[in-house]
Every structure is written in structure tokens, then in C-alpha cells.
Amino acid sequence: MIKIVGNDLYRGGEKIGWLDGRYVRAHDGAKMGYFDNSRVYDENGNKLAYVEGDYLYSYSSGEKVSLNKVAKEVEGGIAPGIEKCAVYTIFGT
């Protein structure tokens, strides 16, 4: 499980990164990816996932995950759904 505290991202009490506007950064500051209103991209601009209805879909595998599951795996913060989806996609659970 990942927790959002302010803009910081924690897993097991250890800081793994942070949200920087529309970017997701690793603990060392490296850009891991970014998001727009409904899509998640890697650091090179490749599409990773998108939100449609109540699900997050992976471009590579076609897997779909309910947004309720994403919300359970990425807790806290006041981040809207797409931010949590980006964290879920980029860092996994």
C-alpha cells in the first residue's frame, strides 16, 4: 500500500517519491512519469494506462482495475483519482 501525505509518497513508512504538479518523481528526484486528465505516461511520454468510467486500463496488458481498488491501494492525500491512478501505475502496489 502507498500513502500520500501532502505531496509525498510513502510505502511501509519509507519515502518512495512525490507528486510534482502533473509529474510523479522517485525519491531521488528522477521523473518517473506524468498524467493528464485521463491518461498516465512514463517519463518518455509512452502511454501506460487510462481511466474510462470506473476502471483503470493498462495499454500494454489490457488489464482493468476498479478505481475503488486503486483508492484502497493508494491512500491519503486529497489527490483526485487520476493522480492516484498514476501512482498506482508507476509504483505498483
Side-chain angles (χ1 to χ4, degrees), residues 1-92:
M1 173 186 327
I2 297 173
K3 290 191 179 231
I4 300 174
V5 179
N7 288 332
D8 295 330
L9 308 173
Y10 293 89
R11 179 184 285 139
E14 182 179 331
K15 185 174 177 180
I16 60 171
W18 74 90
L19 296 170
D20 180 15
R22 295 205 168 262
Y23 289 94
V24 179
R25 294 187 178 268
H27 69 282
D28 64 359
K31 288 182 182 175
M32 301 291 295
Y34 63 97
F35 55 92
D36 62 20
N37 293 329
S38 63
R39 291 180 188 86
V40 179
Y41 305 86
D42 69 11
E43 70 279 6
N44 297 315
N46 299 308
K47 295 176 185 174
L48 297 176
Y50 64 97
V51 174
E52 187 174 294
D54 293 333
Y55 292 93
L56 173 66
Y57 294 87
S58 167
Y59 277 105
S60 62
S61 70
E63 176 187 10
K64 75 177 187 177
V65 177
S66 78
L67 297 181
N68 287 333
K69 179 176 180 180
V70 171
K72 288 178 185 173
E73 297 294 331
V74 181
E75 291 186 338
I78 56 171
I82 191 63
E83 288 183 0
K84 289 184 178 188
C85 288
V87 170
Y88 180 89
T89 300
I90 292 169
F91 284 106

